Structures are given as C-alpha cells and as structure tokens.
Amino acid sequence: MRTVAVIGAGVGGMAAAYDLAKGGAEVVIFEQEDSVGGLAAGFKEEGWAWSLEKYYHHWFQSDKEIRSLLTELGLEQNLHFYRPKTVVFHNENFYPLDSPIAALLFPALSLIDKLRFGLTTAYLRYLSSWKPLEKYTAHEWMLRYYGEKVYSTLFEPLLEGKFSHYYQQVTMAWFWARFKARSERLGTYDGGFQAFLDDFACKLKEMGVEFRLRTTVDRVFSLDGKIGIRADGKEVIFDQALATIPPDAMLRLAPDLDRGYSEKLASLHGLGAVVLIVSLKHELSEQGYYWFNLPKSAGFPFLALVEHTNFLPKENYGGEHLVYCGDYLEPNHAYFSLSKEELLERFLPGLKKINKKFEPSWVNRCWLFRTPYAQPIPLLNHSTNIPSLHTSIPGLFYASMSQVYPWDRGTNFAVKLGREAAEVMNSGKIYL
C-alpha cells in the first residue's frame, strides 16, 4: 500500500487526506497543535453549547467546494445560511452597503457615482476574467474605472487595512475574485467550525487515516526515492508527502529544494493576523450589525469589528455577547508582543466609537489569538510566482493558501487546492 504523509491538519490537508485515502493510500497527518483545523479551529468554554472560531470564519452560499465535500461526507444537514448585516463607516456613522438598495441609499456617493459603482461591479462580477486584470494593481484599476470618489470612500480603506503599506501593489485579480466568488448569505455549521472539523476527522479515522497531533515535523528529505519525515526526533519513511504549511516554514523544513523552487517560495509574502475576542455583558451594536468595515484613517485601532452574536444566537455561548476585533499586520508589529490586557486597553476606545454607551465595565473576559501568516500578498502577475504542487524533490508536494490565487484564502478554496493536490498525487504523474 502506498504510504503518504500530510503535514498540517488544516482543512486543506484533511481534504487531501480524504481523497488520498479514497485512492488507496495509507495516510498519516502530522499536526503540531492538539486539535485539527489550522486557522479554522475553534475553542469551547464551559457553559457554551457551540465552539467559537479563533479567527472569525463563515462560508459563502456560493462556496461550492465545501458544500460538495459536506454532501459527500453526509454532513450537509448541519450547514445553515443566514444574512447578517454588514456596514461601512462614513462621517461618524455606519451605513449598510451589502445590497443594491443599500448602495442606492448610501449618502456618500452621488447618483453618477452610484451608477458608476453599479456598472463597474456588474462588469467585474459577470463579464470579466481575472487573467487580464493581474497586470494592473487594484489601486490603479479601481481609481480609473470606479472613479476617485467611489474608490477613496469604499475600496481604498479596505485595501489599506487589509494589506498595510503593500495596498497599492496588490493585483486587481485578487479584488476581482472577491466580487466573483462571494454571496450575501453566510453559512455556518451546527456546533461551530470546530464541530465540523471534528466530524471530518472522525470520518477520516473511519477510513484509516492516522492523526499524530502535538507532533512537530522538523525536516523533510529525500531518501532512496522516498520521502523521509523527521518529527520530534524520529524519522519515518513514506512514498509521498504533502506539506500544507506557510512558505517560510516549507523553506526551513525542506532545505534540499532546488534554487528555482526555493526562490518561488521566498517570493511569497504575507501578513499576520491579530484577533482579540471580547465577551460583553451587553450587545455592542444596538442595530444588530454583524460586520463593520473600519477605515484606519478614522482612528480605529483595528481593521474590522465582527459582532459574532449578531450572526448566531448568544444562547449558543451561554448568553455572552461576543465581538471580534481583528487586524492584518506585519509580524513585527507591536500588537504581536502585547498581552491581551494591554491590547484590550488599546481597543477599548474603538468599541466606544461603535457604541457611545459602551463602558469598560461591559467587558466580561477576552481571548487573544495571533498567527504570523494569515493573508498572502498577491502582487502584479502573481500567477507567475506561484509554486507548482510538485516540488523539485520527487514525491514531495506542496499546497498552501498562497496557491489558491486568484481566490482569497479560506476554507472553501483550501478544500479545492487540497483535493487538486490529492488528484495529482493519486495519478502518479511526476509533472503537472
């Protein structure tokens, strides 16, 4: 029987393991954390009926890959979609901008601006393709076709918040994908994402997939036509291996990669994520808003505020009102070194700007999660920089969120990429 190692128990690695096992392979998944899920994983406090994601997550109704997988696993009955309210900040107020009617009512734009917004968005969503757009930056393309007012009011703050000082360099193909692939209705899984991940892991175990949690892989190497995995000081030999880890981690684990492949990995840049989850005694948004897009220029100390319990009932979480305060930042940013208490102090004024009635006494408790690699930065002509699923080491494959381009990172496209990698590995072909 063909033996395969999968490094990383995120959704992409698990999806690959599913198809590899179906293809007759004996699969072992190595994961350094004590649970499956990667960046989609959650946690569950005493008194909660549901788990809560460490980094805010949802599925779009248009996410075909995850929905197809759930159907195959017999879990589709646990998937539910809702339509929470999304707002943008303008002139010290919040305005919905998540439907054509809301766009028409948005006071910051003139009728001509709104017409231009509608026509350009329709072109991107229904008529355009991504390939011709990747030679333009989102900054220059949207400034030209949406116009200065629409761009500076709606899109420039989002780009700047998402990509920091890289925002004027990001390719328009990435922004195209956001219009193309997203829907207004958002989905979740009964019990939370961790419930789905645990159910998926159970299905994999029934298929014979072995999970080695709390196991750190130190090195990946070629040995007599096979792949060696050194984990926690022990070496195991496999016929194939798939790594689903960040590019810099791949470079450290596989130093024998040739120069060309290593240079492609090294060219992939990304930002980290800092998320503070705050439990409150009272609802923060009295209007029931779920997602707040916040411009840094307005003085907010974070990019986005997500009131999770305006998406899902607070009764799932012991009656607590749960709010995410999140940001994408360089790994050397001060937020990566502050304690959760220090970060909460930084964020409290931002909560006050959301609701003037807010007082620090509303806070019950908080949780802090950070990761140095959460958002790939796709630059001009990024498709030429993407490493192949095949590495330069025969039998070693690579699939990470940097390769889902032009789509944005997320569980849906992680499933797609993982299954593509498994298809290539099952085929036995040496090259794509």
Side-chain angles (χ1 to χ4, degrees):
M1 181 177 289
R2 177 171 51 117
T3 58
V4 181
V6 175
I7 305 171
V11 177
M14 293 170 69
Y18 175 65
D19 283 349
L20 287 164
K22 285 202 305 180
E26 182 178 306
V27 183
V28 177
I29 300 180
F30 294 86
E31 172 57 52
Q32 63 182 358
E33 301 296 331
D34 59 5
S35 63
V36 301
L39 292 180
F43 66 102
K44 190 175 182 181
E45 295 287 353
E46 186 177 353
W48 289 4
W50 283 43
S51 66
L52 179 69
E53 292 69 57
K54 297 176 183 178
Y55 305 95
Y56 40 86
H57 274 79
H58 50 245
W59 289 315
F60 295 99
Q61 196 165 25
S62 53
D63 282 347
K64 297 178 181 178
E65 303 294 335
I66 194 70
R67 298 187 70 175
S68 176
L69 178 63
L70 286 168
T71 299
E72 288 183 46
L73 296 172
L75 301 173
E76 70 275 13
Q77 71 277 3
N78 298 321
L79 175 63
H80 303 284
F81 288 93
Y82 308 96
R83 188 172 176 180
K85 300 176 182 178
T86 298
V87 292
V88 296
F89 185 80
H90 175 69
N91 281 350
E92 302 301 317
N93 286 303
F94 291 99
Y95 297 92
L97 201 64
D98 52 5
S99 69
I101 293 177
L104 287 172
L105 297 175
F106 186 51
L109 303 177
S110 68
L111 184 59
I112 296 298
D113 291 329
K114 292 171 182 176
L115 181 62
R116 194 168 183 174
F117 169 76
L119 291 174
T120 305
T121 301
Y123 167 75
L124 288 172
R125 190 172 181 89
Y126 301 110
L127 300 176
S128 63
S129 59
W130 69 270
K131 189 65 175 176
L133 294 173
E134 74 165 353
K135 64 183 179 181
Y136 303 101
T137 66
H139 173 75
E140 65 176 321
W141 195 95
M142 290 196 289
L143 190 59
R144 178 179 180 182
Y145 290 100
Y146 275 110
E148 193 281 331
K149 182 64 174 177
V150 173
Y151 174 63
S152 63
T153 302
L154 299 180
F155 299 123
E156 189 172 28
L158 295 179
L159 271 174
E160 187 175 10
K162 187 90 166 180
F163 292 106
S164 185
H165 61 273
Y166 294 100
Y167 86 94
Q168 293 189 3
Q169 304 171 48
V170 171
T171 172
M172 184 59 198
W174 176 86
F175 221 104
W176 167 91
R178 296 175 71 86
F179 286 108
K180 197 73 175 178
R182 297 191 168 192
S183 61
E184 296 170 354
R185 292 174 64 81
L186 307 179
T188 191
Y189 189 87
D190 281 338
F193 269 61
Q194 191 64 56
F196 158 65
L197 295 163
D198 292 340
D199 287 346
F200 192 8
C202 285
K203 296 281 186 180
L204 291 174
K205 290 175 184 176
E206 290 172 3
M207 298 171 69
V209 174
E210 178 186 349
F211 287 83
R212 297 187 186 179
L213 304 179
R214 296 179 293 278
T215 303
T216 300
V217 175
D218 310 306
R219 178 80 183 272
V220 180
F221 55 93
S222 179
L223 182 66
D224 298 329
K226 295 183 181 292
I227 299 297
I229 302 290
R230 189 175 69 202
D232 292 345
K234 298 179 181 179
E235 293 184 357
V236 189
I237 306 302
F238 294 87
D239 294 310
Q240 295 175 314
L242 171 66
T244 63
I245 56 181
D248 60 336
M250 185 63 175
L251 283 169
R252 292 193 302 271
L253 257 59
D256 298 331
L257 291 167
D258 70 15
R259 181 177 177 180
Y261 201 90
S262 295
E263 286 178 349
K264 284 207 168 189
L265 287 175
S267 73
L268 300 175
H269 304 291
L271 294 173
V274 174
V275 171
L276 186 74
I277 305 174
V278 185
S279 166
L280 301 176
K281 296 180 176 68
H282 308 287
E283 187 177 39
L284 188 65
S285 168
E286 296 175 343
Q287 298 83 6
Y289 297 147
Y290 163 61
W291 192 286
F292 296 74
N293 288 312
L294 307 172
K296 293 287 183 69
S297 60
F300 287 96
F302 36 75
L303 166 67
L305 183 137
V306 182
E307 189 156 3
H308 183 74
T309 41
N310 282 341
F311 175 40
L312 298 172
K314 65 182 185 297
E315 288 73 23
N316 294 344
Y317 308 97
E320 299 182 59
H321 297 271
L322 298 171
V323 174
Y324 289 92
C325 303
D327 214 336
Y328 294 104
L329 302 162
E330 295 275 12
N332 61 358
H333 192 278
Y335 284 4
F336 280 92
S337 58
L338 296 177
S339 68
K340 68 178 181 180
E341 291 78 16
E342 291 170 326
L343 205 56
L344 178 63
E345 284 298 316
R346 297 276 187 103
F347 286 1
L348 287 177
L351 300 181
K352 186 78 171 179
K353 286 175 72 71
I354 301 292
N355 184 341
K356 292 180 172 56
K357 297 177 184 177
F358 171 80
E359 297 293 340
S361 60
W362 287 19
V363 176
N364 293 315
R365 51 181 172 168
C366 60
W367 302 265
L368 175 60
F369 299 100
R370 294 182 277 220
T371 180
Y373 187 76
Q375 176 60 60
I377 302 172
L379 305 177
L380 289 180
N381 299 307
H382 187 65
S383 61
T384 62
N385 299 327
I386 297 175
S388 166
L389 295 173
H390 285 273
T391 73
S392 59
I393 299 175
L396 177 61
F397 299 81
Y398 181 64
S400 78
M401 71 173 84
S402 296
Q403 294 156 285
V404 302
Y405 173 84
W407 311 109
D408 199 10
R409 85 284 175 274
T411 52
N412 181 67
F413 293 108
V415 167
K416 183 176 187 295
L417 184 67
R419 302 193 79 169
E420 287 174 355
E423 181 179 6
V424 172
M425 295 169 74
N426 284 335
S427 74
K429 294 179 181 177
I430 297 177
Y431 301 104
L432 284 175

